[in-house]
């Protein structure tokens, strides 16, 4: 081409300056936003929603932990309450059983001079033992803790619980009910008496305790009362039952006719 023409030169100069200006405009524009930054209002909304979701998820985890802790507390409390209610129910059942057995023994031997020959088999054989507490084959009487209830006389008419001490052993007609493997909580309730009246009815002469575990340690109970009016306070009963180690407790009730 012939660039010697003034018009042609002007045209080329104009094109060159236009291109230079365009390049300068691109160079002076700010950098594009980072790809992780929000690109629009929609992106900002999505980011806000994500953050709120995370916050809600954190609160939900804390609530779940609190819920589990409260649930465990309720379960433990329920188990404790159930065990206490079960112990109270069995203790009441034992009291009714002791009273019935003592009454039947007195009725069976009311015309006898003593209690020689008394065993639990006497009550079973005469149909006087509590039917609900007999073993399936009717050979033994069981207490609410599924252990034996034994009836014991003494050849002199004095219970074996007091016969060892001739100076304090009362003279009279006595028999003994042995209640085996009683939990400490029930023991402290069953061993209480006021003027000889307790869970077994009237006529308490003496009471003693023995360990149901090994070794078998005999612990003499409170003082004797020859008239069958022995008083055992709740504190005395609790102290005697807790002193038996290892538990459970065998309780020996010595009763007068």
């Amino acid at each position: 081409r012939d660039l010697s023409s003034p018009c042609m030169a002007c045209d080329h100069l104009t094109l060159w300056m236009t291109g230079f200006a365009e390049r300068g405009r691109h160079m002076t524009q700010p950098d594009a936003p980072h790809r992780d930054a929000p690109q629009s209002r929609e992106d900002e909304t999505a980011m806000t929603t994500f953050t709120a979701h995370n916050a809600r998820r954190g609160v939900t985890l804390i609530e779940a932990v609190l819920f589990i802790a409260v649930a465990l507390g309720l379960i433990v409390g329920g188990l404790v309450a159930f065990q206490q209610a079960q112990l109270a129910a069995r203790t009441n059942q034992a009291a009714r059983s002791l009273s019935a057995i003592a009454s039947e023994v007195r009725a069976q031997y009311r015309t006898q001079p003593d209690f020689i020959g008394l065993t639990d088999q006497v009550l079973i054989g005469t149909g006087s033992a509590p039917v609900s507490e007999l073993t399936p084959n009717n050979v033994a009487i069981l207490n609410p803790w599924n252990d034996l209830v034994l009836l014991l006389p003494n050849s002199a008419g004095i219970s074996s619980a007091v016969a060892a001490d001739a100076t304090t052993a009362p003279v009279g007609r006595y028999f003994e009910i042995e209640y085996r493997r009683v939990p400490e909580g029930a023991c402290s309730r069953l061993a209480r008496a006021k003027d000889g009246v307790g869970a077994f009815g009237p006529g308490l002469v003496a009471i003693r305790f023995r360990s149901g575990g090994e070794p078998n340690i005999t612990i003499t109970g409170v003082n004797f009362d020859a008239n069958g009016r022995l008083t055992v306070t709740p504190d005395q009963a609790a102290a005697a039952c807790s002193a038996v180690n290892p538990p459970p407790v065998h309780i020996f009730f010595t009763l007068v006719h």
Side-chain angles (χ1 to χ4, degrees):
R1 292 182 181 179
D2 184 5
L3 298 179
S4 61
S5 171
C7 292
M8 292 294 294
C10 290
D11 292 340
H12 281 282
L13 179 60
T14 301
L15 290 174
W16 179 82
M17 291 182 66
T18 302
F20 180 81
E22 186 71 21
R23 288 195 297 271
R25 186 176 64 81
H26 285 293
M27 292 178 65
T28 57
Q29 284 184 344
D31 293 337
H34 194 274
R35 60 181 179 179
D36 291 338
Q39 301 297 320
S40 63
R41 182 173 297 276
E42 289 76 10
D43 293 335
E44 292 179 357
T45 303
M47 182 65 71
T48 302
T49 304
F50 177 75
T51 304
H53 174 73
N54 285 345
R56 287 197 300 272
R57 183 175 62 181
V59 172
T60 302
L61 291 175
I62 294 174
E63 290 175 345
V65 171
L66 291 176
F67 174 79
I68 292 173
V70 172
L72 288 176
L74 292 175
I75 292 173
V76 172
L79 288 175
V80 172
F82 172 77
Q83 291 174 345
Q84 292 176 343
Q86 187 180 54
L87 178 63
R90 289 183 176 179
T91 303
N92 292 336
Q93 181 183 350
R96 292 191 296 269
S97 172
L98 283 167
S99 179
I101 290 173
S103 296
E104 289 298 334
V105 169
R106 291 185 174 113
Q108 291 289 330
Y109 284 83
R110 65 180 180 275
T111 61
Q112 303 298 319
D114 52 44
F115 291 96
I116 294 177
L118 173 63
T119 66
D120 47 296
Q121 294 300 317
V122 172
L123 291 190
I124 294 173
T126 59
S128 302
V131 176
S132 61
E133 298 178 9
L134 292 175
T135 57
N137 51 5
N138 294 339
V139 298
I141 304 173
L142 298 178
N143 62 31
W145 295 278
N146 291 321
D147 215 304
L148 294 175
V149 177
L150 301 178
L151 302 176
L152 308 172
N154 180 268
S155 59
I158 300 175
S159 167
S160 59
V162 297
D165 191 342
T167 61
T168 58
V171 178
R173 300 170 60 207
Y174 307 96
F175 65 97
E176 188 171 85
I177 302 175
E178 179 181 352
Y179 225 63
R180 291 189 170 185
R181 301 186 68 82
V182 180
E184 182 179 330
C187 172
S188 62
R189 300 179 189 181
L190 294 175
R192 302 172 188 176
K194 176 66 173 178
D195 294 330
V197 180
F200 35 76
L204 180 64
V205 173
I207 186 171
R208 67 189 178 104
F209 311 86
R210 182 170 66 85
S211 171
E214 294 295 338
N216 289 327
I217 304 172
T218 298
I219 298 178
T220 302
V222 294
N223 294 331
F224 307 125
D225 186 307
N227 296 318
R229 296 181 59 84
L230 184 67
T231 293
V232 184
T233 67
D235 289 343
Q236 288 176 321
C241 293
S242 62
V244 176
N245 186 31
V249 187
H250 292 354
I251 310 177
F252 297 80
F253 302 96
T254 304
L255 305 177
V256 69
H257 199 303

